[in-house]
Amino acid sequence: MPETQELFALTQNRWVWITSAAGRRAETLLKTLLTSIRATAFRLTFLPWILALTAGLALVSVNVGLDVEERLGDVRANILAKPASGQVYIAEIDAKSLEMVDRWPWPRAYYAKAIEKLNDAGVTLIAFDIDFSSRSTETEDQLLADAIDKSDATVILPTFRQRASIGQHEFVESLPIDILQKNAFLASVNVSPDSRGQLNRYSYGTTTAGTTRPSLASMIAEVAGNIDQSFAIDQSIDPTTIPRLSFVDLINSNNLPSELRGKKILIGATAIELGDRYPMSRFGVLPGVVIQALASETLISGTNLGDLGKFPALLLSAILMLVCITTRKISSRGLIWIAFVSIFVLVGLLFLVEYLRLFTFSNVPAFFFLSVYMLSQKLLTTTTALKTSQYVNEISGLPNEAALQKIIDTSDFGYIAAARLANFRELLVLTNRESRHDLFQNLASRFSFLAQSESIYHVDSDMIAWLVKKEYTSNIPGHFDTASALLQAPIMAKETKIKVDMTFGISSQNLDESKIASEQALASGIRWTWHDHKFDHAIGQKHDLLIELDQALEYGHLGVVYQPKWDLSANRLDGAEALVRWYHPERGIISPDIFIPLLEQAGRIDGLTYHVLQLALDDVASWSGRRPGLTCSVNISATLLADKDFVHRAIAMVEEARVDNAQIVFEVTETATMSDPERSAFALKLIQNARIRVSIDDYGTGQSTMSYLQRLPVSEIKLDQSFVKTMTTDNANRVMVKSTIKMAHALGFKIVAEGIEDQPCLELLTRYGCDIGQGWHISKPVTPDVFEAIWLDSVMEEARLSA
């Protein structure tokens, strides 16, 4: 089975590095353990089947499940519902008939008259479900006997079997009186409710003191059967469709319906006062005469199907599952699905054979077997998965960190090497779960000769590790040069060729240090490095900064500065960009380049952005009286553009502020719009609909085109300063800036140039028609007090106009 193979995938490679006696003992111990688990798992494969079969056989032996069987039978009957044949009529002694005579039993003259009337109507058979075992008056008995003698229709009188006396096991048969027996047929009306008092089965007859009597339904339907057997009454026949005639209407009518000709009449009591009522599983309590009619209809319609019993479906299911198990080619999940589908197949098969009137059988033990099997197999699969996950990586099937740690803990070792996939996120896009399994297996195969025992361990989602082979310990640089060379050729992930980029870390202490070293190599842009405790200290400092950031927000140590934005055509102040600053009481001013990436990585940049936005809104509101219409830009992190909750809250903050929404500009980087274009476009549309302007920051550093940006709700484009700073000396950058300004204007964008550091650059941008300029030549970022004191009073503006 695939799960069993997966459980022991780690045995396909010799994954234990041993250089000492202790190590060899550890290898022997682990191999013995794995062999034992493998043998046990193979045996356990059959355990769910054995448990399920035992449960199914137990169900049969104790006769449990009758309620379920009846419920399922009722469901099938409801689906296969049909009307009665119309061959059998019930002449019912109902409440209306009882009013005719105020005593019971009735004078037998009424029955004699009924026989005469029915013969005149042309019926072929008259059956009574009424007790005639005791004498009436001589005259009454003779009248009924004469009517039977003269009847052209067959007359059937009932007999019933009962105990000879209380406490005895002998039975006697109660027969009609002798005078009535001479010209009538006798039939048994005995019925046998089950242990719950329900009457769902009917016999072909009874034997009493050596005398065999066919049942009343067998006589009416003219269908013979084994006296010792019974059949299920077909409850798909609707009892309300059995034609009925009130007994009083029968004897009082001078012209019975012509439809009675050729029909069979069953006379019996339906009045509640006369009792003789039995419950059925589908229809509830019915009069005995109606049940006799239903049994007759069952025989007439041929739905008295032979019952194969409870074993065939159970054994068929057990054999099917045993065959599937022994093939060893079907996974545990596949076996569960086969068992699940088998339940529906058995349901459909039972419907089919009953519809074709072939036979019937019980599905309940088979259902119980399959259900127990599915539960047991699921439990075994879960247990196996837990054992598998203990030493094997679920994705790759390679030994995992626990397996490596077990070797490290029980043996001597030299160096632990860890390799981190630098482009793992890209691999997630290019591969799926199945192909990643193939990718890591091929990676392990490629690196295996570098490792002790040729064992590669999958120790993290994006990381593999190994114990460095003894002959490489004296030349670690060469070891990793070889490892890097192995990555030159693409690695196959199923049918896809993958170019893998990895960084390596190494430690002589533990696996964690190797992991950290590989992360350090990635952060430093180098191929490999030893673990460095200074790097650990730097990470600790970053962690401390995150904690101190919370305190900085609480105590107001995080503030904003404003860098003016100059309208180059009007030669006047257009607005400012709000930039965050951290005034640490001990460390001094901490650059945003340090703490903003930390917050982004920690997923906490939203709190800082709310803080900066609120400070900017408060300042712009206070400036509006002196410089109406002044704009203010606030930077929005790329990670926040995809956060729907952030976008809605930021818009709400602007809506609630005492500023015109159009005065606020949200600056988002070009790369942010490219990472998830559809979601970015949706977020920017919400911002635009709120009349908040959108600026694309750092344009030119990403891969977007001006035509792509045209499809976004953007009002301005901000040229990256790397192009602006060198445009006076670099012809390529100058051409790029000029063409970008021209295209932006053609597409209706305002263009902003940042990084203006000298007058020639300013003049060149003005000549090219750039709209807004920003940079140290215009002004460095200044505190809110300085900005308000100098720029709002137009001192700098007047100085520039006069220059």
Side-chain angles (χ1 to χ4, degrees):
M1 293 174 60
E3 275 76 7
T4 306
Q5 295 169 4
E6 182 180 359
L7 174 60
F8 306 108
L10 54 91
T11 64
Q12 295 172 359
N13 296 317
R14 294 179 64 245
W15 56 281
V16 182
W17 171 50
I18 305 296
T19 58
S20 64
R24 286 192 294 273
R25 285 195 298 273
E27 179 182 29
T28 302
L29 175 64
L30 285 173
K31 285 186 175 179
T32 302
L33 175 63
L34 291 172
T35 302
S36 175
I37 293 175
R38 176 167 54 188
T40 302
F42 179 75
R43 291 193 299 271
L44 290 180
T45 301
F46 294 91
L47 182 59
W49 183 86
I50 295 171
L51 289 174
L53 183 60
T54 303
L57 292 173
L59 185 73
V60 173
S61 65
V62 299
N63 205 29
V64 175
L66 290 179
D67 285 337
V68 177
E69 191 72 65
E70 286 182 1
R71 297 293 182 274
L72 294 175
D74 292 344
V75 171
R76 295 196 303 276
N78 189 56
I79 294 174
L80 299 174
K82 55 183 176 288
S85 68
Q87 295 299 309
V88 178
Y89 276 66
I90 296 176
E92 56 179 336
I93 300 174
D94 52 10
K96 175 182 175 182
S97 302
L98 287 180
E99 293 178 359
M100 179 177 63
V101 178
D102 58 358
R103 65 187 177 90
W104 183 263
W106 279 348
R108 288 177 176 167
Y110 289 122
Y111 302 122
K113 188 174 182 180
I115 292 174
E116 293 173 3
K117 292 277 187 178
L118 291 171
N119 271 276
D120 292 341
V123 303
T124 60
L125 182 145
I126 303 169
F128 285 91
D129 186 18
I130 296 171
D131 181 15
F132 294 118
S133 60
S134 60
R135 294 185 177 278
S136 178
T137 66
E138 183 176 349
T139 302
E140 293 288 334
D141 291 342
Q142 189 62 51
L143 283 173
L144 179 55
D146 292 343
I148 295 172
D149 181 40
K150 295 176 183 178
S151 176
D152 292 328
T154 300
V155 177
I156 302 174
L157 299 180
T159 74
F160 55 94
R161 180 173 178 261
Q162 58 184 335
R163 291 187 184 276
S165 63
I166 298 175
Q168 293 189 5
H169 296 289
E170 295 182 0
F171 289 87
V172 296
E173 186 179 23
S174 295
L175 301 171
I177 59 176
D178 293 339
I179 193 173
L180 301 181
Q181 293 183 36
K182 295 179 181 179
N183 297 297
F185 290 92
L186 302 182
S188 171
V189 294
N190 280 91
V191 292
S192 300
D194 60 25
S195 59
R196 291 155 303 161
Q198 291 188 354
L199 186 55
N200 298 314
R201 299 189 66 82
Y202 191 91
S203 66
Y204 287 100
T206 59
T207 300
T208 307
T211 301
T212 298
R213 301 285 184 195
S215 65
L216 183 61
S218 296
M219 293 284 287
I220 294 173
E222 301 179 41
V223 175
N226 192 322
I227 296 297
D228 297 327
Q229 293 182 347
S230 65
F231 59 89
I233 298 174
D234 185 359
Q235 297 192 53
S236 68
I237 300 172
D238 185 355
T240 63
T241 62
I242 300 174
R244 297 191 187 192
L245 178 66
S246 177
F247 189 86
V248 66
D249 293 336
L250 167 63
I251 62 176
N252 289 335
S253 175
N254 294 322
N255 188 19
L256 290 175
S258 60
E259 289 83 1
L260 290 176
R261 181 168 299 279
K263 299 299 190 293
K264 301 174 181 181
I265 305 298
L266 177 57
I267 300 174
T270 61
I272 295 176
E273 295 89 335
L274 299 181
D276 191 31
R277 304 173 77 83
Y278 302 92
M280 298 186 74
S281 64
R282 183 182 177 205
F283 301 115
V285 178
L286 292 179
V289 68
V290 176
I291 296 177
Q292 296 283 357
L294 279 174
S296 303
E297 288 285 351
T298 300
L299 296 175
I300 291 171
S301 65
T303 53
N304 55 319
L305 305 177
D307 191 348
L308 301 183
K310 299 178 179 180
F311 284 101
L314 172 61
L315 295 180
L316 178 64
S317 302
I319 292 170
L320 171 65
M321 297 312 302
L322 183 61
V323 170
C324 293
I325 293 169
T326 53
T327 60
R328 301 182 68 181
K329 294 181 179 179
I330 304 174
S331 66
S332 294
R333 182 175 296 180
L335 290 171
I336 292 173
W337 270 107
I338 290 173
F340 183 72
V341 171
S342 296
I343 292 176
F344 292 93
V345 171
L346 287 174
V347 171
L349 179 62
L350 184 56
F351 268 111
L352 179 63
V353 297
E354 287 189 350
Y355 177 76
L356 297 176
R357 301 181 184 179
L358 300 176
F359 53 83
T360 188
F361 56 87
S362 173
N363 266 333
V364 171
F367 290 168
F368 193 63
F369 162 79
L370 293 168
S371 298
V372 172
Y373 178 82
M374 285 189 288
L375 291 173
S376 302
Q377 186 63 50
K378 182 63 177 177
L379 179 62
L380 178 63
T381 301
T382 303
T383 304
T384 302
L386 290 174
K387 290 181 178 179
T388 300
S389 63
Q390 184 176 2
Y391 290 113
V392 179
N393 184 278
E394 184 181 1
I395 298 294
S396 64
L398 295 171
N400 61 11
E401 182 172 345
L404 175 57
Q405 195 61 51
K406 195 170 187 67
I407 301 305
I408 293 173
D409 293 341
T410 57
S411 64
D412 297 329
F413 63 93
Y415 299 127
I416 307 169
R420 183 182 296 274
L421 287 162
N423 57 339
F424 185 66
R425 291 188 180 181
E426 296 177 10
L427 295 183
L428 292 177
V429 176
L430 297 173
T431 60
N432 55 27
R433 188 182 182 90
E434 185 179 359
S435 61
R436 279 196 294 280
H437 176 276
D438 195 44
L439 174 69
F440 278 102
Q441 285 286 339
N442 289 333
L443 266 176
S445 177
R446 194 170 290 191
F447 283 124
S448 60
F449 79 92
L450 295 172
Q452 287 289 353
S453 301
E454 299 184 351
S455 297
I456 303 297
Y457 301 82
H458 192 172
V459 295
D460 213 334
S461 60
D462 60 346
M463 186 180 295
I464 59 175
W466 63 89
L467 296 171
V468 177
K469 213 169 189 177
K470 189 174 182 180
E471 50 264 42
Y472 287 106
T473 55
S474 60
N475 184 18
I476 295 302
H479 179 80
F480 288 121
D481 286 343
T482 302
S484 299
L486 292 173
L487 298 175
Q488 294 300 313
I491 296 177
M492 296 302 297
K494 289 299 181 184
E495 305 301 322
T496 305
K497 291 182 179 180
I498 303 292
K499 182 63 176 175
V500 174
D501 185 18
M502 304 189 94
T503 58
F504 305 94
I506 188 166
S507 171
S508 60
Q509 298 299 316
N510 55 60
L511 177 59
D512 288 341
E513 288 188 355
S514 298
K515 289 182 176 181
I516 294 170
S518 69
E519 178 70 26
Q520 181 184 358
L522 179 63
S524 303
I526 57 179
R527 179 60 62 186
W528 73 276
T529 186
W530 287 95
H531 174 259
D532 185 355
H533 289 285
K534 291 182 179 179
F535 186 73
D536 294 350
H537 179 68
I539 292 175
Q541 283 189 316
K542 288 183 179 179
H543 179 71
D544 292 341
L545 282 177
L546 282 175
I547 296 175
E548 292 175 2
L549 269 170
D550 293 332
Q551 297 174 345
L553 282 170
E554 182 179 354
Y555 297 121
H557 296 157
L558 285 166
V560 293
V561 294
Y562 294 97
Q563 185 170 32
K565 297 170 67 176
W566 191 258
D567 187 330
L568 298 182
S569 60
N571 208 20
R572 65 189 300 272
L573 182 68
D574 178 74
E577 179 181 358
L579 302 169
V580 66
R581 291 292 183 267
W582 183 0
Y583 304 101
H584 196 284
E586 297 175 1
R587 305 174 192 256
I589 298 178
I590 300 177
S591 171
D593 294 338
I594 295 176
F595 63 84
I596 286 181
L598 287 178
L599 287 174
E600 289 179 329
Q601 292 173 11
R604 292 162 53 187
I605 191 64
D606 55 342
L608 177 64
T609 307
Y610 292 140
H611 179 71
V612 172
L613 177 58
Q614 189 60 60
L615 291 177
L617 290 171
D618 292 342
D619 286 337
V620 173
S622 68
W623 300 337
S624 294
R626 297 166 63 181
R627 291 298 295 265
L630 205 64
T631 65
C632 184
S633 300
V634 178
N635 290 284
I636 305 297
S637 171
T639 59
L640 296 178
L641 200 59
D643 187 341
K644 182 174 63 175
D645 292 336
F646 169 82
V647 172
H648 284 294
R649 181 174 171 184
I651 291 173
M653 290 174 66
V654 177
E655 295 279 3
E656 294 169 4
R658 294 178 293 107
V659 299
D660 187 339
N661 290 13
Q663 291 179 257
I664 305 302
V665 181
F666 283 177
E667 288 193 9
V668 296
T669 61
E670 178 188 4
T671 52
T673 64
M674 294 291 292
S675 60
D676 191 344
E678 189 173 326
R679 183 172 290 185
S680 297
F682 178 76
L684 295 177
K685 188 65 176 175
L686 290 176
I687 295 169
Q688 184 195 54
N689 290 343
R691 294 178 51 252
I692 300 170
R693 293 159 58 186
V694 177
S695 175
I696 298 297
D697 197 10
D698 299 337
Y699 178 75
T701 59
Q703 302 297 319
S704 66
T705 62
M706 193 71 72
S707 59
Y708 165 74
L709 295 179
Q710 187 186 20
R711 297 196 294 270
L712 299 176
V714 173
S715 57
E716 71 177 35
I717 295 173
K718 198 170 185 181
L719 271 169
D720 186 68
Q721 58 182 324
S722 61
F723 302 103
V724 176
K725 285 180 177 180
T726 58
M727 64 178 291
T728 57
T729 57
D730 188 316
N731 185 60
N733 283 347
R734 185 163 58 252
V735 171
M736 186 270 185
V737 170
K738 183 178 181 180
S739 60
T740 300
I741 293 172
K742 186 175 181 180
M743 283 190 296
H745 286 163
L747 295 173
F749 295 130
K750 181 182 287 188
I751 193 84
V752 180
E754 59 179 342
I756 302 175
E757 295 188 351
D758 52 46
Q759 185 64 24
C761 180
L762 178 66
E763 292 174 354
L764 193 57
L765 286 168
T766 304
R767 192 189 323 151
Y768 289 163
C770 182
D771 299 297
I772 306 295
Q774 184 179 350
W776 281 24
H777 180 64
I778 296 171
S779 175
K780 293 181 179 181
V782 295
T783 63
D785 292 340
V786 173
F787 184 83
E788 184 174 355
I790 296 178
W791 289 93
L792 292 190
D793 291 336
S794 305
V795 173
M796 295 299 296
E797 184 173 314
E798 292 171 2
R800 288 190 174 276
L801 286 171
S802 61

Short mmCIF file of all heavy atoms in Angstrom, two decimals, residues 760-795:
data_model
loop_
_atom_site.label_atom_id
_atom_site.label_comp_id
_atom_site.label_asym_id
_atom_site.label_seq_id
_atom_site.Cartn_x
_atom_site.Cartn_y
_atom_site.Cartn_z
N PRO A 760 20.94 72.38 -11.49
CA PRO A 760 20.83 71.90 -12.87
C PRO A 760 19.77 70.82 -13.04
O PRO A 760 19.06 70.80 -14.05
CB PRO A 760 22.23 71.37 -13.17
CG PRO A 760 23.13 72.16 -12.28
CD PRO A 760 22.34 72.36 -11.01
N CYS A 761 19.70 69.95 -12.09
CA CYS A 761 18.69 68.89 -12.16
C CYS A 761 17.29 69.49 -12.10
O CYS A 761 16.40 69.10 -12.86
CB CYS A 761 18.91 67.89 -11.01
SG CYS A 761 17.72 66.54 -10.98
N LEU A 762 17.10 70.46 -11.21
CA LEU A 762 15.80 71.12 -11.08
C LEU A 762 15.43 71.82 -12.38
O LEU A 762 14.28 71.72 -12.85
CB LEU A 762 15.84 72.10 -9.92
CG LEU A 762 14.57 72.92 -9.68
CD1 LEU A 762 13.43 72.01 -9.24
CD2 LEU A 762 14.80 74.00 -8.62
N GLU A 763 16.38 72.51 -12.97
CA GLU A 763 16.11 73.26 -14.19
C GLU A 763 15.78 72.31 -15.35
O GLU A 763 14.91 72.58 -16.18
CB GLU A 763 17.30 74.14 -14.54
CG GLU A 763 17.52 75.29 -13.55
CD GLU A 763 18.79 76.06 -13.82
OE1 GLU A 763 19.57 75.61 -14.71
OE2 GLU A 763 19.04 77.07 -13.14
N LEU A 764 16.51 71.19 -15.44
CA LEU A 764 16.27 70.23 -16.51
C LEU A 764 14.89 69.61 -16.39
O LEU A 764 14.16 69.46 -17.39
CB LEU A 764 17.35 69.13 -16.48
CG LEU A 764 17.45 68.23 -17.70
CD1 LEU A 764 17.69 69.05 -18.97
CD2 LEU A 764 18.57 67.21 -17.51
N LEU A 765 14.48 69.28 -15.20
CA LEU A 765 13.14 68.70 -14.97
C LEU A 765 12.06 69.72 -15.32
O LEU A 765 11.02 69.37 -15.89
CB LEU A 765 13.00 68.26 -13.52
CG LEU A 765 13.75 66.98 -13.13
CD1 LEU A 765 13.77 66.82 -11.61
CD2 LEU A 765 13.11 65.76 -13.78
N THR A 766 12.32 70.99 -14.97
CA THR A 766 11.35 72.05 -15.29
C THR A 766 11.22 72.17 -16.80
O THR A 766 10.11 72.32 -17.34
CB THR A 766 11.79 73.38 -14.69
OG1 THR A 766 11.96 73.23 -13.27
CG2 THR A 766 10.76 74.46 -14.94
N ARG A 767 12.36 72.11 -17.52
CA ARG A 767 12.34 72.23 -18.98
C ARG A 767 11.59 71.04 -19.61
O ARG A 767 10.90 71.19 -20.61
CB ARG A 767 13.77 72.27 -19.50
CG ARG A 767 13.83 72.69 -20.99
CD ARG A 767 15.23 72.51 -21.57
NE ARG A 767 16.26 72.84 -20.60
CZ ARG A 767 17.47 72.28 -20.59
NH1 ARG A 767 17.78 71.37 -21.49
NH2 ARG A 767 18.37 72.64 -19.68
N TYR A 768 11.69 69.85 -19.00
CA TYR A 768 11.01 68.66 -19.54
C TYR A 768 9.52 68.64 -19.20
O TYR A 768 8.79 67.80 -19.69
CB TYR A 768 11.65 67.39 -18.99
CG TYR A 768 13.03 67.09 -19.55
CD1 TYR A 768 13.87 66.21 -18.90
CD2 TYR A 768 13.47 67.70 -20.73
CE1 TYR A 768 15.14 65.92 -19.39
CE2 TYR A 768 14.73 67.42 -21.22
CZ TYR A 768 15.56 66.54 -20.56
OH TYR A 768 16.81 66.25 -21.06
N GLY A 769 9.09 69.60 -18.36
CA GLY A 769 7.66 69.67 -18.04
C GLY A 769 7.25 68.84 -16.86
O GLY A 769 6.05 68.54 -16.69
N CYS A 770 8.22 68.46 -16.02
CA CYS A 770 7.87 67.70 -14.81
C CYS A 770 6.97 68.56 -13.92
O CYS A 770 7.18 69.76 -13.77
CB CYS A 770 9.14 67.30 -14.07
SG CYS A 770 8.83 66.32 -12.59
N ASP A 771 5.96 67.95 -13.31
CA ASP A 771 4.97 68.70 -12.55
C ASP A 771 5.46 69.07 -11.15
O ASP A 771 5.38 70.22 -10.73
CB ASP A 771 3.68 67.87 -12.43
CG ASP A 771 3.08 67.58 -13.77
OD1 ASP A 771 2.69 68.51 -14.47
OD2 ASP A 771 3.03 66.38 -14.13
N ILE A 772 5.94 68.07 -10.41
CA ILE A 772 6.28 68.27 -9.01
C ILE A 772 7.72 67.81 -8.77
O ILE A 772 8.15 66.78 -9.30
CB ILE A 772 5.35 67.49 -8.06
CG1 ILE A 772 3.88 67.83 -8.36
CG2 ILE A 772 5.68 67.76 -6.60
CD1 ILE A 772 3.51 69.26 -8.07
N GLY A 773 8.45 68.55 -7.96
CA GLY A 773 9.81 68.17 -7.60
C GLY A 773 9.94 68.00 -6.11
O GLY A 773 9.27 68.66 -5.32
N GLN A 774 10.88 67.13 -5.73
CA GLN A 774 11.08 66.84 -4.32
C GLN A 774 12.53 66.40 -4.14
O GLN A 774 13.05 65.62 -4.93
CB GLN A 774 10.12 65.72 -3.86
CG GLN A 774 10.18 65.40 -2.39
CD GLN A 774 9.17 64.28 -2.04
OE1 GLN A 774 8.35 63.89 -2.85
NE2 GLN A 774 9.27 63.78 -0.83
N GLY A 775 13.21 66.88 -3.14
CA GLY A 775 14.59 66.49 -2.91
C GLY A 775 15.29 67.47 -1.99
O GLY A 775 14.75 68.52 -1.61
N TRP A 776 16.53 67.14 -1.64
CA TRP A 776 17.26 67.96 -0.68
C TRP A 776 17.58 69.36 -1.22
O TRP A 776 17.79 70.29 -0.44
CB TRP A 776 18.55 67.25 -0.27
CG TRP A 776 18.28 66.15 0.76
CD1 TRP A 776 17.12 65.49 0.95
CD2 TRP A 776 19.21 65.66 1.72
NE1 TRP A 776 17.23 64.59 1.96
CE2 TRP A 776 18.52 64.66 2.47
CE3 TRP A 776 20.54 65.93 2.02
CZ2 TRP A 776 19.13 63.96 3.49
CZ3 TRP A 776 21.15 65.23 3.04
CH2 TRP A 776 20.45 64.25 3.78
N HIS A 777 17.65 69.51 -2.54
CA HIS A 777 17.90 70.85 -3.08
C HIS A 777 16.73 71.77 -2.77
O HIS A 777 16.91 72.98 -2.60
CB HIS A 777 18.13 70.76 -4.60
CG HIS A 777 18.39 72.10 -5.22
ND1 HIS A 777 19.49 72.88 -4.92
CD2 HIS A 777 17.66 72.82 -6.15
CE1 HIS A 777 19.45 73.99 -5.62
NE2 HIS A 777 18.34 73.99 -6.37
N ILE A 778 15.54 71.20 -2.73
CA ILE A 778 14.36 72.00 -2.37
C ILE A 778 14.29 72.10 -0.85
O ILE A 778 14.19 73.19 -0.30
CB ILE A 778 13.08 71.35 -2.95
CG1 ILE A 778 13.15 71.35 -4.48
CG2 ILE A 778 11.83 72.06 -2.45
CD1 ILE A 778 12.05 70.54 -5.14
N SER A 779 14.34 70.97 -0.17
CA SER A 779 14.36 70.97 1.29
C SER A 779 14.53 69.55 1.80
O SER A 779 13.97 68.61 1.23
CB SER A 779 13.06 71.55 1.86
OG SER A 779 13.05 71.43 3.27
N LYS A 780 15.31 69.42 2.88
CA LYS A 780 15.35 68.16 3.58
C LYS A 780 14.04 68.00 4.35
O LYS A 780 13.32 68.98 4.55
CB LYS A 780 16.53 68.13 4.55
CG LYS A 780 17.90 68.14 3.89
CD LYS A 780 19.00 68.09 4.95
CE LYS A 780 20.38 68.08 4.29
NZ LYS A 780 21.48 68.00 5.30
N PRO A 781 13.73 66.78 4.80
CA PRO A 781 12.56 66.60 5.67
C PRO A 781 12.72 67.43 6.93
O PRO A 781 13.80 67.47 7.54
CB PRO A 781 12.57 65.10 5.99
CG PRO A 781 13.31 64.48 4.85
CD PRO A 781 14.37 65.47 4.47
N VAL A 782 11.65 68.12 7.33
CA VAL A 782 11.70 69.00 8.50
C VAL A 782 10.57 68.64 9.45
O VAL A 782 9.57 68.02 9.06
CB VAL A 782 11.57 70.48 8.08
CG1 VAL A 782 12.77 70.90 7.25
CG2 VAL A 782 10.26 70.73 7.33
N THR A 783 10.74 69.06 10.70
CA THR A 783 9.71 68.77 11.70
C THR A 783 8.45 69.57 11.40
O THR A 783 8.49 70.57 10.67
CB THR A 783 10.22 69.13 13.10
OG1 THR A 783 10.46 70.54 13.15
CG2 THR A 783 11.50 68.37 13.43
N PRO A 784 7.32 69.15 11.97
CA PRO A 784 6.07 69.89 11.72
C PRO A 784 6.18 71.37 12.12
O PRO A 784 5.64 72.23 11.41
CB PRO A 784 5.05 69.15 12.60
CG PRO A 784 5.60 67.77 12.73
CD PRO A 784 7.07 67.91 12.74
N ASP A 785 6.89 71.67 13.20
CA ASP A 785 7.03 73.07 13.64
C ASP A 785 7.81 73.88 12.61
O ASP A 785 7.43 75.01 12.27
CB ASP A 785 7.73 73.12 14.99
CG ASP A 785 6.87 72.55 16.10
OD1 ASP A 785 5.64 72.47 15.90
OD2 ASP A 785 7.42 72.17 17.15
N VAL A 786 8.91 73.31 12.11
CA VAL A 786 9.72 74.02 11.11
C VAL A 786 8.93 74.18 9.82
O VAL A 786 8.95 75.26 9.20
CB VAL A 786 11.04 73.26 10.86
CG1 VAL A 786 11.81 73.89 9.70
CG2 VAL A 786 11.88 73.23 12.12
N PHE A 787 8.25 73.13 9.41
CA PHE A 787 7.46 73.22 8.17
C PHE A 787 6.40 74.31 8.28
O PHE A 787 6.20 75.11 7.36
CB PHE A 787 6.79 71.86 7.88
CG PHE A 787 6.04 71.82 6.57
CD1 PHE A 787 6.70 71.58 5.38
CD2 PHE A 787 4.67 72.06 6.54
CE1 PHE A 787 6.01 71.56 4.18
CE2 PHE A 787 3.98 72.03 5.34
CZ PHE A 787 4.65 71.78 4.15
N GLU A 788 5.75 74.38 9.41
CA GLU A 788 4.70 75.37 9.61
C GLU A 788 5.29 76.78 9.66
O GLU A 788 4.74 77.72 9.09
CB GLU A 788 3.94 75.06 10.90
CG GLU A 788 2.76 75.97 11.15
CD GLU A 788 1.95 75.53 12.36
OE1 GLU A 788 2.26 74.47 12.93
OE2 GLU A 788 1.00 76.25 12.71
N ALA A 789 6.44 76.93 10.33
CA ALA A 789 7.03 78.26 10.51
C ALA A 789 7.61 78.82 9.22
O ALA A 789 7.50 80.02 8.93
CB ALA A 789 8.11 78.20 11.59
N ILE A 790 8.25 77.94 8.43
CA ILE A 790 8.95 78.42 7.24
C ILE A 790 8.10 78.32 5.97
O ILE A 790 7.95 79.29 5.23
CB ILE A 790 10.27 77.65 7.06
CG1 ILE A 790 11.21 77.95 8.24
CG2 ILE A 790 10.94 78.02 5.74
CD1 ILE A 790 12.52 77.19 8.18
N TRP A 791 7.53 77.16 5.75
CA TRP A 791 6.87 76.92 4.46
C TRP A 791 5.45 77.46 4.39
O TRP A 791 5.02 77.92 3.33
CB TRP A 791 6.87 75.42 4.16
CG TRP A 791 8.26 74.92 3.83
CD1 TRP A 791 9.16 74.39 4.69
CD2 TRP A 791 8.88 74.97 2.56
NE1 TRP A 791 10.33 74.08 4.06
CE2 TRP A 791 10.19 74.43 2.71
CE3 TRP A 791 8.51 75.42 1.29
CZ2 TRP A 791 11.10 74.32 1.66
CZ3 TRP A 791 9.40 75.30 0.25
CH2 TRP A 791 10.69 74.76 0.43
N LEU A 792 4.72 77.41 5.48
CA LEU A 792 3.34 77.88 5.40
C LEU A 792 3.25 79.39 5.25
O LEU A 792 2.27 79.92 4.72
CB LEU A 792 2.57 77.45 6.66
CG LEU A 792 2.30 75.95 6.81
CD1 LEU A 792 1.32 75.71 7.95
CD2 LEU A 792 1.76 75.34 5.52
N ASP A 793 4.27 80.11 5.72
CA ASP A 793 4.25 81.56 5.60
C ASP A 793 4.83 82.04 4.27
O ASP A 793 5.08 83.23 4.08
CB ASP A 793 5.05 82.19 6.75
CG ASP A 793 4.34 82.01 8.08
OD1 ASP A 793 3.11 81.85 8.05
OD2 ASP A 793 5.01 82.01 9.12
N SER A 794 5.08 81.12 3.37
CA SER A 794 5.52 81.42 2.00
C SER A 794 6.89 82.08 1.94
O SER A 794 7.24 82.71 0.96
CB SER A 794 4.50 82.33 1.28
OG SER A 794 3.23 81.75 1.30
N VAL A 795 7.72 81.95 3.01
CA VAL A 795 9.05 82.54 2.97
C VAL A 795 9.89 81.88 1.89
O VAL A 795 10.50 82.55 1.05
CB VAL A 795 9.73 82.40 4.35
CG1 VAL A 795 11.18 82.87 4.27
CG2 VAL A 795 8.97 83.20 5.40
#
